[in-house]
Every structure is written in structure tokens, then in C-alpha cells.
Amino acid sequence: MRLNAWKVSGKFVIFTKNPRLMGKKDKNNANEPLSDYGEPVSFNEVWKMFRETDKMFKETDRLLTEKFQETAKRMQETDRKIDRLAKLYGGVSDNSKDVAEEFFRRGLESRTALFGIEYTEVDHLARTSKKLQGEYDIVLHNGEYVIVIEVKYKLHPDDVLDFINRKLVGFKPLFPEYASKRIIGAVAGMSVPSDSYELAAKLGLLVLTQSGDNMAVMNPEGFQWKEL
């Protein structure tokens, strides 16, 4: 005789006949489930097995929920640490840029010419129009020339490209009063890596840096700047 078995909570419940294979005369016969040892299993025992299985599932759900909550809590704490570091870095970055701007401003205020170009005013300009906005760290000007200078603590090639492709081209539209002037671009950094200098010089920009306690122009004598 072929036996059918279901496993419930780690135990086998065996049925003496396959319900699908029952003949007509067997339809009204009830088959009692059997234990592993062929003994009939009562309804209460089967119900107990199901309750134990349900209890196991609930315990698993509880453990998974606790693990998820613990992971979520750790992620939130990590996010808070990242936010604090970002704010700290942002503050340090802003302070470094302020230090650099102050250094170059003082150096330029002590002069009357930059790379042979005389100037009478040292300004910081910012303006917002309907379509544009821009802030220019240091602007030197006289009756004919305007030198627009972008200052960074450490000058990166991306800073050079952003200045010449975005900020410098927006100067005349934002300040039409200088539209008839000869505009020269310059970048300055307390630290200027060689790749940043080479890119800036290639694009026709003047490059300023720190030399001891003083400001220095990195471009060699005879350098030909580009005018906007």
C-alpha cells in the first residue's frame, strides 16, 4: 500500500491512502494521519504542531524586525556623522578660501601694477541679473584694463576651466559698464600644482601664487595673455 506523508514542525504525519487514488467505496472512509511510528495522530497533536510552527515563524519575524531596526539605526547614525564631517569640511574650506583672498588682496593693494599693467582700484564685485549671477574675488581696474582674478587656496585644473568657461565669460554681461574695457583673466592659489599652472597659461591666464610671505607671478617674462 502506498503511503502519503506531510512533514509538520519537524515530524512526519503519514496518511494511509492517497486521496487522489481513492475508489468510490473509499470516498466515505476517513483516513487518520499516522506518526513516524505508524500510530494515529490526534487532531490536538496536529494542531499543537501547527501552533509550534506558527510560533517559530513569529519568532523569526521578530528577530528579522529587530535586525532591520538595528541596521536602520546604524545607517541614521552614519548619515549624521557624514553631515557633521561635511559641515566641518565646508567650514574649513570656506576659511581657507578667505585666508587666500585676504593674502592676495593685501599683496595687490601694496602694488600699483601687475605684470606691467597698472591699476588704481582693487575691488570685490558681485551681481545678480534676471539671467545671470556672478561673484568675482578680486577685480583690478584702471581707465583701460580690467583684471578679473579667481582665488583658490589650492588651484585645481577644474577651477581653471570653470573660471574661464563660466565665470569670466559672464563678467561683461553682468557688468556692462566695463563692456568697452580690455578684460584679462587671472587665477591665484596659495598652492598651484604644475598641471593647473600649465592649463591656465595655455588658456592665456595670469597665474599668481605664494612665495614665502609675498605674492609672485608665475608667468615668465614675455608671456602673452588673452583678452576677453
Side-chain angles (χ1 to χ4, degrees):
M1 178 177 64
R2 183 176 179 178
L3 301 180
N4 293 319
W6 294 351
K7 189 173 184 180
V8 180
S9 187
K11 298 181 179 181
F12 284 99
V13 178
I14 305 174
F15 293 86
T16 58
K17 291 184 179 181
N18 187 332
R20 295 181 180 178
L21 302 178
M22 289 174 62
K24 292 183 179 179
K25 65 180 180 179
D26 297 322
K27 288 183 178 179
N28 295 323
N29 295 333
N31 296 307
E32 293 184 354
L34 303 178
S35 68
D36 293 349
Y37 304 102
E39 296 296 330
V41 179
S42 68
F43 172 81
N44 288 336
E45 290 176 317
V46 173
W47 180 245
K48 182 179 179 182
M49 294 177 190
F50 277 112
R51 292 189 64 180
E52 289 176 353
T53 302
D54 183 62
K55 184 178 179 182
M56 291 172 61
F57 284 146
K58 288 181 178 178
E59 179 65 15
T60 301
D61 288 342
R62 184 186 67 81
L63 293 173
L64 289 175
T65 300
E66 290 180 354
K67 190 67 176 178
F68 174 80
Q69 291 175 343
E70 181 182 352
T71 301
K73 184 177 180 181
R74 289 180 179 177
M75 291 177 66
Q76 290 175 351
E77 181 62 25
T78 300
D79 288 343
R80 285 194 290 268
K81 290 180 180 179
I82 291 174
D83 288 341
R84 288 196 294 267
L85 287 173
K87 290 178 181 178
L88 177 61
Y89 175 78
V92 171
S93 179
D94 290 342
N95 290 336
S96 297
K97 180 175 173 60
D98 290 343
V99 168
E101 283 190 35
E102 181 65 19
F103 172 81
F104 288 107
R105 178 180 297 278
R106 288 180 178 275
L108 291 165
E109 286 176 343
S110 66
R111 297 179 173 218
T112 58
L114 178 64
F115 211 69
I117 304 170
E118 295 184 355
Y119 57 87
T120 57
E121 302 292 334
V122 180
D123 288 330
H124 175 97
L125 299 180
R127 184 173 290 175
T128 300
S129 68
K130 291 182 179 180
K131 296 182 179 181
L132 294 172
Q133 64 176 7
E135 184 173 2
Y136 300 89
D137 300 326
I138 301 175
V139 179
L140 312 177
H141 53 92
N142 58 23
E144 182 180 3
Y145 286 96
V146 175
I147 304 177
V148 181
I149 306 173
E150 174 78 356
V151 178
K152 299 291 182 183
Y153 190 85
K154 182 177 182 179
L155 186 68
H156 294 277
D158 288 345
D159 299 324
V160 176
L161 292 174
D162 180 67
F163 172 65
I164 199 164
N165 292 328
R166 184 180 63 87
K167 298 188 71 174
L168 190 58
V169 296
F171 184 79
K172 282 187 176 181
L174 279 171
F175 298 93
E177 60 267 37
Y178 296 110
S180 62
K181 306 295 184 181
R182 301 171 68 177
I183 310 297
I184 300 172
V187 289
M190 304 291 282
S191 172
V192 180
S194 59
D195 56 345
S196 300
Y197 167 73
E198 290 169 3
L199 178 60
K202 180 180 178 181
L203 295 173
L205 300 175
L206 297 178
V207 184
L208 313 180
T209 192
Q210 179 187 21
S211 178
D213 294 332
N214 300 313
M215 183 191 74
V217 179
M218 296 181 68
N219 306 80
E221 185 177 351
F223 173 78
Q224 292 298 314
W225 62 77
K226 292 182 180 179
E227 297 180 10
L228 183 63

